[in-house]
Amino acid sequence: MSELQMLVAYIGPLSIIAGAAWKMSARLAKMDARLAQLEKENRDLKSDITALRTLLSVLVDSRRATG
C-alpha cells in the first residue's frame, strides 16, 4: 500500500464520522431550541391557568356572597 492509499484509508472513515457528528450536532441544537420554546410555552400556560383559577375563585366567592 502506498502512503496515499494509507492516508485515504485512514481519513475516509474519519471524515464520515466527522460528518455524522456535525449532522447530529445540528439536530441536537434544533431540538434544544425547540425545547426552550416549549418550556416558555409551558410557563405561559401555567401562568394562564393560575390567572383563570384566581378569576374563577373570585367569581365563585362573589356568587356566594350575593346568594
Side-chain angles (χ1 to χ4, degrees):
M1 246 185 166
S2 72
E3 287 184 27
L4 179 60
Q5 288 173 328
M6 288 174 48
L7 185 63
V8 169
Y10 180 74
I11 293 178
L14 285 180
S15 65
I16 292 171
I17 292 170
W22 183 269
K23 187 175 180 180
M24 183 58 69
S25 174
R27 286 182 67 195
L28 288 173
K30 240 174 134 176
M31 290 169 65
D32 191 43
R34 178 71 176 134
L35 178 62
Q37 178 187 5
L38 289 172
E39 286 173 340
K40 183 189 178 308
E41 288 177 18
N42 189 35
R43 282 191 304 273
D44 293 345
L45 288 171
K46 283 183 179 180
S47 176
D48 290 347
I49 287 171
T50 301
L52 288 171
R53 282 183 178 158
T54 302
L55 177 61
L56 183 60
S57 176
V58 168
L59 290 174
V60 168
D61 288 346
S62 69
R63 288 194 58 130
R64 285 183 183 154
T66 60

Short mmCIF file of all heavy atoms in Angstrom, two decimals:
data_model
loop_
_atom_site.label_atom_id
_atom_site.label_comp_id
_atom_site.label_asym_id
_atom_site.label_seq_id
_atom_site.Cartn_x
_atom_site.Cartn_y
_atom_site.Cartn_z
N MET A 1 0.84 -1.18 0.00
CA MET A 1 0.00 0.00 0.00
C MET A 1 0.89 1.24 0.00
O MET A 1 1.80 1.36 0.79
CB MET A 1 -0.84 0.01 1.27
CG MET A 1 -2.29 -0.14 1.06
SD MET A 1 -3.13 0.05 2.66
CE MET A 1 -4.73 0.25 2.05
N SER A 2 0.53 2.17 -0.86
CA SER A 2 1.30 3.41 -0.90
C SER A 2 0.86 4.31 0.26
O SER A 2 -0.17 4.09 0.90
CB SER A 2 1.09 4.12 -2.23
OG SER A 2 -0.21 4.67 -2.28
N GLU A 3 1.65 5.32 0.47
CA GLU A 3 1.32 6.26 1.55
C GLU A 3 0.00 6.97 1.29
O GLU A 3 -0.77 7.21 2.21
CB GLU A 3 2.45 7.27 1.72
CG GLU A 3 3.69 6.69 2.35
CD GLU A 3 4.75 7.75 2.58
OE1 GLU A 3 4.39 8.93 2.73
OE2 GLU A 3 5.92 7.38 2.62
N LEU A 4 -0.26 7.29 0.04
CA LEU A 4 -1.51 7.96 -0.32
C LEU A 4 -2.70 7.06 -0.04
O LEU A 4 -3.72 7.50 0.51
CB LEU A 4 -1.49 8.39 -1.79
CG LEU A 4 -2.75 9.09 -2.29
CD1 LEU A 4 -2.98 10.37 -1.49
CD2 LEU A 4 -2.64 9.40 -3.77
N GLN A 5 -2.60 5.79 -0.38
CA GLN A 5 -3.69 4.85 -0.13
C GLN A 5 -3.92 4.69 1.37
O GLN A 5 -5.06 4.60 1.83
CB GLN A 5 -3.38 3.49 -0.76
CG GLN A 5 -3.47 3.49 -2.27
CD GLN A 5 -3.00 2.17 -2.86
OE1 GLN A 5 -2.12 1.52 -2.31
NE2 GLN A 5 -3.59 1.80 -3.99
N MET A 6 -2.84 4.66 2.13
CA MET A 6 -2.97 4.53 3.59
C MET A 6 -3.64 5.78 4.17
O MET A 6 -4.47 5.69 5.07
CB MET A 6 -1.60 4.31 4.22
CG MET A 6 -1.06 2.91 3.95
SD MET A 6 0.63 2.63 4.52
CE MET A 6 0.63 3.24 6.17
N LEU A 7 -3.26 6.92 3.62
CA LEU A 7 -3.84 8.17 4.11
C LEU A 7 -5.34 8.22 3.79
O LEU A 7 -6.15 8.58 4.66
CB LEU A 7 -3.12 9.36 3.46
CG LEU A 7 -3.53 10.74 3.93
CD1 LEU A 7 -3.22 10.92 5.41
CD2 LEU A 7 -2.82 11.82 3.11
N VAL A 8 -5.71 7.83 2.59
CA VAL A 8 -7.12 7.81 2.21
C VAL A 8 -7.87 6.79 3.05
O VAL A 8 -9.00 7.04 3.51
CB VAL A 8 -7.28 7.52 0.70
CG1 VAL A 8 -8.72 7.22 0.35
CG2 VAL A 8 -6.75 8.69 -0.12
N ALA A 9 -7.28 5.63 3.30
CA ALA A 9 -7.92 4.60 4.11
C ALA A 9 -8.12 5.08 5.55
O ALA A 9 -9.06 4.67 6.22
CB ALA A 9 -7.08 3.33 4.09
N TYR A 10 -7.27 5.95 6.02
CA TYR A 10 -7.37 6.47 7.39
C TYR A 10 -8.35 7.65 7.47
O TYR A 10 -9.19 7.71 8.36
CB TYR A 10 -5.98 6.90 7.87
CG TYR A 10 -5.96 7.45 9.27
CD1 TYR A 10 -6.08 6.62 10.37
CD2 TYR A 10 -5.81 8.81 9.49
CE1 TYR A 10 -6.06 7.12 11.66
CE2 TYR A 10 -5.78 9.32 10.77
CZ TYR A 10 -5.91 8.47 11.86
OH TYR A 10 -5.89 8.97 13.13
N ILE A 11 -8.23 8.57 6.50
CA ILE A 11 -9.03 9.80 6.55
C ILE A 11 -10.47 9.56 6.10
O ILE A 11 -11.38 10.20 6.61
CB ILE A 11 -8.37 10.91 5.72
CG1 ILE A 11 -7.07 11.32 6.39
CG2 ILE A 11 -9.28 12.10 5.54
CD1 ILE A 11 -6.29 12.38 5.65
N GLY A 12 -10.70 8.62 5.19
CA GLY A 12 -12.05 8.36 4.69
C GLY A 12 -13.05 8.09 5.80
O GLY A 12 -14.05 8.80 5.94
N PRO A 13 -12.80 7.06 6.63
CA PRO A 13 -13.75 6.79 7.72
C PRO A 13 -13.85 7.92 8.73
O PRO A 13 -14.92 8.20 9.27
CB PRO A 13 -13.19 5.53 8.38
CG PRO A 13 -12.35 4.89 7.33
CD PRO A 13 -11.81 6.01 6.50
N LEU A 14 -12.74 8.60 8.98
CA LEU A 14 -12.78 9.73 9.92
C LEU A 14 -13.67 10.85 9.41
O LEU A 14 -14.40 11.48 10.18
CB LEU A 14 -11.37 10.27 10.18
CG LEU A 14 -10.50 9.42 11.08
CD1 LEU A 14 -9.12 10.08 11.23
CD2 LEU A 14 -11.12 9.22 12.44
N SER A 15 -13.63 11.10 8.10
CA SER A 15 -14.47 12.16 7.54
C SER A 15 -15.95 11.78 7.62
O SER A 15 -16.80 12.64 7.84
CB SER A 15 -14.06 12.48 6.11
OG SER A 15 -14.30 11.37 5.27
N ILE A 16 -16.25 10.50 7.45
CA ILE A 16 -17.64 10.04 7.59
C ILE A 16 -18.12 10.25 9.02
O ILE A 16 -19.22 10.75 9.27
CB ILE A 16 -17.77 8.57 7.17
CG1 ILE A 16 -17.53 8.44 5.66
CG2 ILE A 16 -19.13 8.01 7.55
CD1 ILE A 16 -17.41 7.03 5.16
N ILE A 17 -17.27 9.89 9.98
CA ILE A 17 -17.62 10.06 11.40
C ILE A 17 -17.78 11.54 11.73
O ILE A 17 -18.72 11.94 12.43
CB ILE A 17 -16.57 9.39 12.29
CG1 ILE A 17 -16.64 7.87 12.12
CG2 ILE A 17 -16.77 9.78 13.76
CD1 ILE A 17 -15.50 7.12 12.76
N ALA A 18 -16.87 12.36 11.22
CA ALA A 18 -16.96 13.81 11.49
C ALA A 18 -18.24 14.39 10.88
O ALA A 18 -18.89 15.23 11.50
CB ALA A 18 -15.72 14.51 10.93
N GLY A 19 -18.59 13.95 9.69
CA GLY A 19 -19.83 14.42 9.05
C GLY A 19 -21.05 14.02 9.84
O GLY A 19 -21.98 14.81 10.02
N ALA A 20 -21.06 12.78 10.32
CA ALA A 20 -22.20 12.31 11.13
C ALA A 20 -22.29 13.09 12.44
O ALA A 20 -23.38 13.44 12.89
CB ALA A 20 -22.06 10.82 11.40
N ALA A 21 -21.14 13.36 13.05
CA ALA A 21 -21.13 14.14 14.30
C ALA A 21 -21.64 15.55 14.06
O ALA A 21 -22.38 16.11 14.88
CB ALA A 21 -19.72 14.16 14.89
N TRP A 22 -21.25 16.16 12.94
CA TRP A 22 -21.70 17.51 12.59
C TRP A 22 -23.22 17.54 12.41
O TRP A 22 -23.90 18.42 12.92
CB TRP A 22 -21.00 17.95 11.31
CG TRP A 22 -21.34 19.34 10.90
CD1 TRP A 22 -22.34 19.73 10.08
CD2 TRP A 22 -20.68 20.54 11.31
NE1 TRP A 22 -22.35 21.09 9.93
CE2 TRP A 22 -21.34 21.62 10.69
CE3 TRP A 22 -19.60 20.80 12.15
CZ2 TRP A 22 -20.94 22.93 10.88
CZ3 TRP A 22 -19.22 22.10 12.33
CH2 TRP A 22 -19.88 23.15 11.70
N LYS A 23 -23.73 16.53 11.70
CA LYS A 23 -25.17 16.46 11.46
C LYS A 23 -25.92 16.25 12.77
O LYS A 23 -26.95 16.87 13.03
CB LYS A 23 -25.45 15.31 10.49
CG LYS A 23 -26.88 15.23 10.04
CD LYS A 23 -27.06 14.14 8.99
CE LYS A 23 -28.50 14.06 8.54
NZ LYS A 23 -28.72 13.02 7.54
N MET A 24 -25.41 15.38 13.64
CA MET A 24 -26.05 15.13 14.92
C MET A 24 -26.02 16.38 15.79
O MET A 24 -26.98 16.69 16.49
CB MET A 24 -25.37 13.97 15.64
CG MET A 24 -26.01 13.59 16.95
SD MET A 24 -27.75 13.10 16.81
CE MET A 24 -27.60 11.58 15.94
N SER A 25 -24.92 17.11 15.72
CA SER A 25 -24.81 18.35 16.50
C SER A 25 -25.87 19.35 16.05
O SER A 25 -26.49 20.03 16.88
CB SER A 25 -23.41 18.94 16.32
OG SER A 25 -23.32 20.19 16.94
N ALA A 26 -26.08 19.45 14.75
CA ALA A 26 -27.10 20.38 14.23
C ALA A 26 -28.49 19.94 14.68
O ALA A 26 -29.32 20.78 15.07
CB ALA A 26 -27.03 20.43 12.71
N ARG A 27 -28.75 18.65 14.65
CA ARG A 27 -30.06 18.15 15.10
C ARG A 27 -30.27 18.43 16.58
O ARG A 27 -31.36 18.81 17.02
CB ARG A 27 -30.18 16.65 14.82
CG ARG A 27 -30.37 16.32 13.36
CD ARG A 27 -30.52 14.85 13.13
NE ARG A 27 -31.77 14.40 13.73
CZ ARG A 27 -32.07 13.12 13.95
NH1 ARG A 27 -31.23 12.18 13.62
NH2 ARG A 27 -33.22 12.78 14.49
N LEU A 28 -29.22 18.22 17.38
CA LEU A 28 -29.34 18.48 18.82
C LEU A 28 -29.56 19.96 19.11
O LEU A 28 -30.33 20.31 20.01
CB LEU A 28 -28.08 17.98 19.55
CG LEU A 28 -27.95 16.47 19.65
CD1 LEU A 28 -26.59 16.09 20.23
CD2 LEU A 28 -29.07 15.87 20.48
N ALA A 29 -28.92 20.83 18.34
CA ALA A 29 -29.12 22.27 18.52
C ALA A 29 -30.57 22.64 18.20
O ALA A 29 -31.18 23.45 18.91
CB ALA A 29 -28.16 23.05 17.64
N LYS A 30 -31.12 22.05 17.14
CA LYS A 30 -32.52 22.30 16.79
C LYS A 30 -33.45 21.81 17.89
O LYS A 30 -34.42 22.50 18.26
CB LYS A 30 -32.84 21.54 15.50
CG LYS A 30 -33.27 22.37 14.35
CD LYS A 30 -33.42 21.50 13.12
CE LYS A 30 -34.69 21.80 12.40
NZ LYS A 30 -34.83 21.05 11.17
N MET A 31 -33.17 20.62 18.41
CA MET A 31 -34.01 20.07 19.47
C MET A 31 -33.92 20.93 20.72
O MET A 31 -34.92 21.13 21.42
CB MET A 31 -33.58 18.63 19.77
CG MET A 31 -33.92 17.65 18.66
SD MET A 31 -33.16 16.03 18.86
CE MET A 31 -33.96 15.45 20.33
N ASP A 32 -32.74 21.45 21.01
CA ASP A 32 -32.55 22.30 22.19
C ASP A 32 -33.35 23.59 22.06
O ASP A 32 -33.98 24.04 23.02
CB ASP A 32 -31.07 22.60 22.38
CG ASP A 32 -30.77 23.24 23.71
OD1 ASP A 32 -31.33 22.78 24.73
OD2 ASP A 32 -29.97 24.21 23.74
N ALA A 33 -33.34 24.17 20.87
CA ALA A 33 -34.11 25.39 20.64
C ALA A 33 -35.61 25.11 20.78
O ALA A 33 -36.35 25.90 21.37
CB ALA A 33 -33.81 25.95 19.25
N ARG A 34 -36.06 23.99 20.25
CA ARG A 34 -37.48 23.61 20.36
C ARG A 34 -37.86 23.38 21.82
O ARG A 34 -38.94 23.77 22.26
CB ARG A 34 -37.75 22.36 19.52
CG ARG A 34 -39.15 21.85 19.58
CD ARG A 34 -40.13 22.76 18.85
NE ARG A 34 -41.46 22.16 18.87
CZ ARG A 34 -42.55 22.82 19.17
NH1 ARG A 34 -42.52 24.11 19.39
NH2 ARG A 34 -43.71 22.21 19.19
N LEU A 35 -36.96 22.74 22.58
CA LEU A 35 -37.22 22.50 23.99
C LEU A 35 -37.36 23.82 24.75
O LEU A 35 -38.26 23.98 25.58
CB LEU A 35 -36.11 21.64 24.60
CG LEU A 35 -36.21 21.34 26.08
CD1 LEU A 35 -37.48 20.55 26.39
CD2 LEU A 35 -34.99 20.59 26.56
N ALA A 36 -36.50 24.76 24.44
CA ALA A 36 -36.58 26.07 25.10
C ALA A 36 -37.91 26.76 24.77
O ALA A 36 -38.54 27.36 25.65
CB ALA A 36 -35.41 26.95 24.66
N GLN A 37 -38.35 26.63 23.52
CA GLN A 37 -39.63 27.21 23.12
C GLN A 37 -40.78 26.54 23.86
O GLN A 37 -41.69 27.21 24.36
CB GLN A 37 -39.81 27.05 21.61
CG GLN A 37 -41.13 27.58 21.10
CD GLN A 37 -41.35 27.26 19.62
OE1 GLN A 37 -40.56 26.57 19.00
NE2 GLN A 37 -42.43 27.77 19.08
N LEU A 38 -40.74 25.22 23.97
CA LEU A 38 -41.81 24.51 24.67
C LEU A 38 -41.82 24.84 26.16
O LEU A 38 -42.89 24.94 26.77
CB LEU A 38 -41.65 23.00 24.46
CG LEU A 38 -41.98 22.50 23.05
CD1 LEU A 38 -41.59 21.03 22.92
CD2 LEU A 38 -43.44 22.71 22.72
N GLU A 39 -40.64 25.00 26.76
CA GLU A 39 -40.58 25.38 28.17
C GLU A 39 -41.20 26.75 28.39
O GLU A 39 -41.90 26.97 29.37
CB GLU A 39 -39.13 25.35 28.65
CG GLU A 39 -38.59 23.95 28.83
CD GLU A 39 -37.11 23.91 29.16
OE1 GLU A 39 -36.40 24.92 28.90
OE2 GLU A 39 -36.66 22.87 29.65
N LYS A 40 -40.96 27.69 27.46
CA LYS A 40 -41.57 29.02 27.58
C LYS A 40 -43.08 28.93 27.44
O LYS A 40 -43.82 29.53 28.23
CB LYS A 40 -41.00 29.96 26.52
CG LYS A 40 -41.55 31.38 26.65
CD LYS A 40 -41.18 32.24 25.49
CE LYS A 40 -41.74 33.64 25.58
NZ LYS A 40 -43.18 33.72 25.81
N GLU A 41 -43.54 28.16 26.47
CA GLU A 41 -44.99 27.98 26.30
C GLU A 41 -45.60 27.35 27.54
O GLU A 41 -46.70 27.73 27.97
CB GLU A 41 -45.27 27.11 25.08
CG GLU A 41 -45.02 27.79 23.76
CD GLU A 41 -45.24 26.87 22.58
OE1 GLU A 41 -45.91 25.82 22.73
OE2 GLU A 41 -44.75 27.19 21.49
N ASN A 42 -44.90 26.41 28.14
CA ASN A 42 -45.38 25.75 29.36
C ASN A 42 -45.51 26.75 30.50
O ASN A 42 -46.52 26.76 31.21
CB ASN A 42 -44.43 24.62 29.74
CG ASN A 42 -44.96 23.77 30.85
OD1 ASN A 42 -46.16 23.54 30.95
ND2 ASN A 42 -44.07 23.28 31.70
N ARG A 43 -44.50 27.62 30.66
CA ARG A 43 -44.58 28.65 31.70
C ARG A 43 -45.75 29.58 31.46
O ARG A 43 -46.49 29.94 32.38
CB ARG A 43 -43.27 29.45 31.76
CG ARG A 43 -42.15 28.76 32.46
CD ARG A 43 -40.98 29.70 32.72
NE ARG A 43 -40.48 30.35 31.52
CZ ARG A 43 -39.56 29.84 30.70
NH1 ARG A 43 -39.04 28.67 30.96
NH2 ARG A 43 -39.16 30.52 29.65
N ASP A 44 -45.94 29.97 30.19
CA ASP A 44 -47.06 30.87 29.85
C ASP A 44 -48.40 30.22 30.14
O ASP A 44 -49.32 30.85 30.67
CB ASP A 44 -46.99 31.29 28.38
CG ASP A 44 -45.79 32.18 28.07
OD1 ASP A 44 -45.17 32.70 29.02
OD2 ASP A 44 -45.47 32.33 26.87
N LEU A 45 -48.53 28.95 29.79
CA LEU A 45 -49.79 28.24 30.05
C LEU A 45 -50.05 28.09 31.54
O LEU A 45 -51.18 28.23 32.00
CB LEU A 45 -49.77 26.87 29.36
CG LEU A 45 -49.89 26.91 27.83
CD1 LEU A 45 -49.64 25.52 27.26
CD2 LEU A 45 -51.23 27.45 27.40
N LYS A 46 -49.00 27.80 32.30
CA LYS A 46 -49.17 27.70 33.76
C LYS A 46 -49.62 29.04 34.33
O LYS A 46 -50.48 29.08 35.23
CB LYS A 46 -47.86 27.26 34.42
CG LYS A 46 -47.58 25.79 34.28
CD LYS A 46 -46.31 25.42 35.00
CE LYS A 46 -46.03 23.92 34.89
NZ LYS A 46 -44.80 23.56 35.60
N SER A 47 -49.07 30.12 33.81
CA SER A 47 -49.47 31.46 34.26
C SER A 47 -50.94 31.72 33.91
O SER A 47 -51.69 32.25 34.74
CB SER A 47 -48.58 32.50 33.61
OG SER A 47 -49.00 33.80 33.94
N ASP A 48 -51.34 31.33 32.71
CA ASP A 48 -52.75 31.50 32.31
C ASP A 48 -53.67 30.67 33.20
O ASP A 48 -54.75 31.14 33.59
CB ASP A 48 -52.94 31.08 30.85
CG ASP A 48 -52.29 32.04 29.87
OD1 ASP A 48 -51.89 33.15 30.29
OD2 ASP A 48 -52.17 31.67 28.68
N ILE A 49 -53.28 29.46 33.52
CA ILE A 49 -54.11 28.60 34.38
C ILE A 49 -54.24 29.21 35.76
O ILE A 49 -55.34 29.24 36.33
CB ILE A 49 -53.51 27.18 34.46
CG1 ILE A 49 -53.74 26.45 33.12
CG2 ILE A 49 -54.12 26.38 35.60
CD1 ILE A 49 -53.01 25.13 33.01
N THR A 50 -53.15 29.76 36.28
CA THR A 50 -53.21 30.40 37.59
C THR A 50 -54.15 31.60 37.56
O THR A 50 -54.96 31.80 38.48
CB THR A 50 -51.80 30.84 38.02
OG1 THR A 50 -50.95 29.70 38.07
CG2 THR A 50 -51.82 31.52 39.38
N ALA A 51 -54.07 32.39 36.49
CA ALA A 51 -54.96 33.55 36.37
C ALA A 51 -56.42 33.11 36.27
O ALA A 51 -57.31 33.72 36.89
CB ALA A 51 -54.57 34.38 35.15
N LEU A 52 -56.68 32.06 35.51
CA LEU A 52 -58.06 31.57 35.39
C LEU A 52 -58.57 31.00 36.72
O LEU A 52 -59.74 31.20 37.06
CB LEU A 52 -58.14 30.50 34.30
CG LEU A 52 -58.01 31.04 32.87
CD1 LEU A 52 -57.89 29.88 31.88
CD2 LEU A 52 -59.19 31.92 32.52
N ARG A 53 -57.72 30.33 37.46
CA ARG A 53 -58.13 29.81 38.78
C ARG A 53 -58.48 30.96 39.71
O ARG A 53 -59.46 30.89 40.46
CB ARG A 53 -57.02 28.97 39.39
CG ARG A 53 -56.93 27.60 38.84
CD ARG A 53 -55.85 26.80 39.54
NE ARG A 53 -55.80 25.44 39.02
CZ ARG A 53 -54.76 24.65 39.10
NH1 ARG A 53 -53.66 25.09 39.68
NH2 ARG A 53 -54.79 23.44 38.60
N THR A 54 -57.67 32.01 39.67
CA THR A 54 -57.94 33.17 40.51
C THR A 54 -59.26 33.82 40.12
O THR A 54 -60.09 34.15 40.99
CB THR A 54 -56.79 34.19 40.38
OG1 THR A 54 -55.57 33.56 40.74
CG2 THR A 54 -57.03 35.41 41.25
N LEU A 55 -59.49 33.98 38.83
CA LEU A 55 -60.73 34.56 38.36
C LEU A 55 -61.93 33.71 38.76
O LEU A 55 -62.95 34.22 39.24
CB LEU A 55 -60.70 34.72 36.83
CG LEU A 55 -61.97 35.26 36.17
CD1 LEU A 55 -62.28 36.65 36.70
CD2 LEU A 55 -61.81 35.26 34.66
N LEU A 56 -61.81 32.41 38.60
CA LEU A 56 -62.90 31.51 38.98
C LEU A 56 -63.17 31.59 40.48
O LEU A 56 -64.34 31.62 40.90
CB LEU A 56 -62.56 30.06 38.58
CG LEU A 56 -63.62 29.02 38.86
CD1 LEU A 56 -64.91 29.34 38.10
CD2 LEU A 56 -63.12 27.64 38.48
N SER A 57 -62.12 31.66 41.25
CA SER A 57 -62.29 31.77 42.70
C SER A 57 -63.02 33.06 43.07
O SER A 57 -63.91 33.06 43.92
CB SER A 57 -60.91 31.73 43.37
OG SER A 57 -61.03 31.92 44.75
N VAL A 58 -62.65 34.15 42.42
CA VAL A 58 -63.31 35.43 42.69
C VAL A 58 -64.79 35.36 42.29
O VAL A 58 -65.67 35.82 43.03
CB VAL A 58 -62.59 36.57 41.95
CG1 VAL A 58 -63.41 37.85 41.96
CG2 VAL A 58 -61.21 36.80 42.54
N LEU A 59 -65.07 34.76 41.14
CA LEU A 59 -66.45 34.65 40.69
C LEU A 59 -67.28 33.78 41.63
O LEU A 59 -68.42 34.13 41.98
CB LEU A 59 -66.50 34.09 39.27
CG LEU A 59 -65.99 34.99 38.16
CD1 LEU A 59 -65.95 34.24 36.83
CD2 LEU A 59 -66.86 36.24 38.05
N VAL A 60 -66.72 32.67 42.07
CA VAL A 60 -67.44 31.79 42.99
C VAL A 60 -67.67 32.50 44.32
O VAL A 60 -68.78 32.44 44.88
CB VAL A 60 -66.67 30.46 43.18
CG1 VAL A 60 -67.24 29.67 44.36
CG2 VAL A 60 -66.71 29.64 41.91
N ASP A 61 -66.68 33.19 44.81
CA ASP A 61 -66.83 33.92 46.07
C ASP A 61 -67.88 35.01 45.96
O ASP A 61 -68.66 35.22 46.90
CB ASP A 61 -65.48 34.52 46.51
CG ASP A 61 -64.51 33.46 46.99
OD1 ASP A 61 -64.94 32.30 47.24
OD2 ASP A 61 -63.31 33.78 47.12
N SER A 62 -67.91 35.73 44.83
CA SER A 62 -68.90 36.80 44.69
C SER A 62 -70.31 36.23 44.56
O SER A 62 -71.26 36.83 45.05
CB SER A 62 -68.55 37.68 43.47
OG SER A 62 -68.75 36.95 42.27
N ARG A 63 -70.46 35.09 43.93
CA ARG A 63 -71.79 34.46 43.83
C ARG A 63 -72.26 33.97 45.22
O ARG A 63 -73.43 34.07 45.54
CB ARG A 63 -71.78 33.31 42.84
CG ARG A 63 -71.69 33.80 41.41
CD ARG A 63 -72.02 32.72 40.45
NE ARG A 63 -73.35 32.20 40.71
CZ ARG A 63 -74.27 32.04 39.79
NH1 ARG A 63 -74.00 32.38 38.56
NH2 ARG A 63 -75.44 31.52 40.09
N ARG A 64 -71.33 33.46 45.99
CA ARG A 64 -71.68 33.01 47.34
C ARG A 64 -72.11 34.19 48.20
O ARG A 64 -73.01 34.09 49.03
CB ARG A 64 -70.51 32.29 47.99
CG ARG A 64 -70.29 30.91 47.45
CD ARG A 64 -69.17 30.20 48.17
NE ARG A 64 -68.91 28.90 47.58
CZ ARG A 64 -67.78 28.27 47.63
NH1 ARG A 64 -66.75 28.81 48.26
NH2 ARG A 64 -67.64 27.10 47.05
N ALA A 65 -71.43 35.32 48.00
CA ALA A 65 -71.72 36.50 48.80
C ALA A 65 -73.09 37.08 48.45
O ALA A 65 -73.80 37.59 49.31
CB ALA A 65 -70.63 37.55 48.59
N THR A 66 -73.47 37.00 47.18
CA THR A 66 -74.77 37.56 46.78
C THR A 66 -75.89 36.56 46.94
O THR A 66 -77.05 36.94 46.99
CB THR A 66 -74.73 38.02 45.29
OG1 THR A 66 -74.42 36.92 44.47
CG2 THR A 66 -73.74 39.13 45.11
N GLY A 67 -75.55 35.25 46.95
CA GLY A 67 -76.58 34.23 47.01
C GLY A 67 -76.93 33.90 48.39
O GLY A 67 -77.93 33.82 48.99
#
